[in-house]
Amino acid sequence: MRAARLIKMVLLLQSRPSMTAAELARELEVSERTVTRDAQALSEAGVPVYADRGRAGGYRLIGGYRTRLTGLARTEAEALFLSGVPGALREMGLEDAASAARLKVSAALLPSLRDASRTASQRFHLDAPSWFKEPKTPELLPTVADAVWDDRRIVARYRKGHTEVERGLEPYGLVLKAGVWYLCARVPDAVAPSGPGARPGAGVFRTYRIDRFTGVDTGDDRFTRDEEFDLPAHWDEQAERFARSILRAEVVVRLSVEGVRRLPHVVDPVSARDALSAVADAPDEQGRVIVALRVESEEVAHTQLTALGAEAEVLAPEGLRERFAQDARRLAGLYEVP
């Protein structure tokens, strides 16, 4: 346990010029007193850890000290080679860089671990696009990716409805969702909404589909990143907000036990979670519960809830209930049910 923590401490100090005791304690999930003892143990073992005193002080490695990757276990080495997404790297124009990095990592590993890339690739493959869709790489993706890596401002032209809009952006991160590439960027001249977390002059973070870009101009002008920006958290928040924004209608449904289990698989998961968590009444004698479900439209609800068959009974609105009644009569006629 301690040996693994000491190795992690060295790797953390290799990756940054300096770290405070508080930062190391947070990363290692230990107390600052333990960090002090670990730093002393590393120093006694010959690792040149130096402690700067004072308010701006911290720990750092001196003399350009580097450690080889000989402390990796097999599962760790294999996980390392799984961290790349070959298709995504290729689309961003980073395939050669990734290949060179894998070769360097392989060369640094113990001989017994150098087959890790092969064993990992034989056991896991990520195919990001959805079924029945021909993936198409946006032509401007490599240009945008370069700007993201270099923190360079861009001027993007993109389709918005029937018009084309030009906007200056600070490109923070790329997201690949179901075969579609998105750019999360800060619009520095946009006015941030008031409320908790809003900071004057901080701009607004927005998300853009890269396949809607018609042009991207880059220069040498770089921006300073907001260190509080968290790309995964931002994406999760935006995705849930989008899901809620399109749920403009409501239907009331009585669900069986099986219907409750299958509901998240046939409607929007956010909508299903909200509906099921809001159930106040106990199940009836047949185990059925009544839920109020947010949907895009009655048309979409009809398509989605049809997949539940007899496990769902639509109670409202009346027009949708009548559509399901008509479906039931037609099915009874097809199967000659009296």
Side-chain angles (χ1 to χ4, degrees):
M1 179 70 178
R2 190 188 186 202
R5 189 175 70 242
L6 292 174
I7 292 172
K8 184 176 180 180
M9 184 174 178
V10 173
L11 294 176
L12 284 169
L13 293 174
Q14 276 189 190
S15 66
R16 306 179 195 180
S18 177
M19 293 184 71
T20 66
E23 289 172 335
L24 283 167
R26 185 167 57 252
E27 292 281 356
L28 299 172
E29 299 181 348
V30 295
S31 67
E32 292 185 33
R33 186 185 297 272
T34 298
V35 168
T36 301
R37 288 199 297 264
D38 286 352
Q40 183 177 352
L42 286 170
S43 181
E44 292 173 354
V47 178
V49 178
Y50 181 79
D52 291 312
R53 306 298 180 185
R55 292 180 59 186
Y59 292 92
R60 59 187 175 89
L61 295 174
I62 61 176
Y65 179 85
R66 309 293 295 176
T67 182
R68 291 170 61 84
L69 297 176
T70 53
L72 290 177
R74 169 164 292 278
T75 54
E76 294 171 331
E78 291 172 345
L80 177 65
F81 285 102
L82 285 178
S83 63
V85 184
L89 292 171
R90 182 173 57 252
E91 292 179 7
M92 288 189 291
L94 297 173
E95 185 175 27
D96 290 342
S99 177
R102 286 192 293 269
L103 286 173
K104 290 178 181 179
V105 171
S106 295
L109 290 172
L110 290 170
S112 61
L113 299 179
R114 289 178 185 168
D115 65 340
S117 67
R118 180 180 60 82
T119 58
S121 63
Q122 288 176 341
R123 289 164 173 80
F124 181 83
H125 174 68
L126 176 63
D127 186 7
S130 300
W131 286 103
F132 313 118
K133 287 186 179 179
E134 185 66 28
K136 184 178 180 181
T137 304
E139 183 178 344
L140 295 171
L141 176 61
T143 302
V144 176
D146 285 344
V148 169
W149 284 113
D150 292 340
D151 293 341
R152 279 184 287 127
R153 291 187 175 92
I154 64 173
V155 176
R157 295 178 296 282
Y158 62 96
R159 296 187 301 275
K160 188 175 182 181
H162 298 293
T163 62
E164 187 174 273
V165 177
E166 182 175 283
R167 179 149 290 173
L169 302 174
E170 295 176 351
Y172 267 63
L174 295 168
V175 175
L176 177 60
K177 170 71 171 179
V180 179
W181 283 96
Y182 296 87
L183 171 68
C184 297
R186 181 167 61 183
V187 186
D189 57 355
V191 178
S194 59
R199 302 194 305 280
V204 175
F205 285 97
R206 292 177 179 160
T207 303
Y208 302 86
R209 278 186 60 147
I210 296 180
D211 58 7
R212 293 179 182 168
F213 283 7
T214 58
V216 174
D217 296 325
T218 60
D220 296 326
D221 188 19
R222 286 179 164 79
F223 63 92
T224 301
R225 282 180 169 263
D226 182 348
E227 295 301 327
E228 295 182 11
F229 178 77
D230 184 329
L231 179 60
H234 171 79
W235 176 258
D236 289 344
E237 179 184 343
Q238 292 295 308
E240 182 159 335
R241 183 180 302 169
F242 172 76
R244 294 183 188 281
S245 71
I246 63 175
L247 304 175
R248 302 185 180 92
E250 182 178 280
V251 299
V252 180
V253 187
R254 182 183 286 117
L255 297 170
S256 67
V257 174
E258 178 64 13
V260 168
R261 187 188 70 80
R262 290 166 50 188
L263 185 67
H265 302 288
V266 300
V267 302
D268 181 86
V270 172
S271 176
R273 183 179 69 238
D274 289 349
L276 294 174
S277 64
V279 173
D281 297 331
D284 62 19
E285 61 276 6
Q286 295 178 320
R288 292 178 175 259
V289 295
I290 297 176
V291 301
L293 186 69
R294 302 293 297 175
V295 294
E296 291 184 50
S297 64
E298 290 187 23
E299 185 68 33
V300 171
H302 178 258
T303 301
Q304 293 174 332
L305 295 176
T306 295
L308 293 180
E311 308 303 331
E313 176 191 0
V314 174
L315 304 179
E318 187 59 36
L320 183 59
R321 179 178 174 84
E322 178 55 31
R323 289 188 64 175
F324 276 97
Q326 292 175 2
D327 291 346
R329 288 191 289 269
R330 290 178 59 197
L331 283 171
L334 286 174
Y335 292 100
E336 298 181 353
V337 178

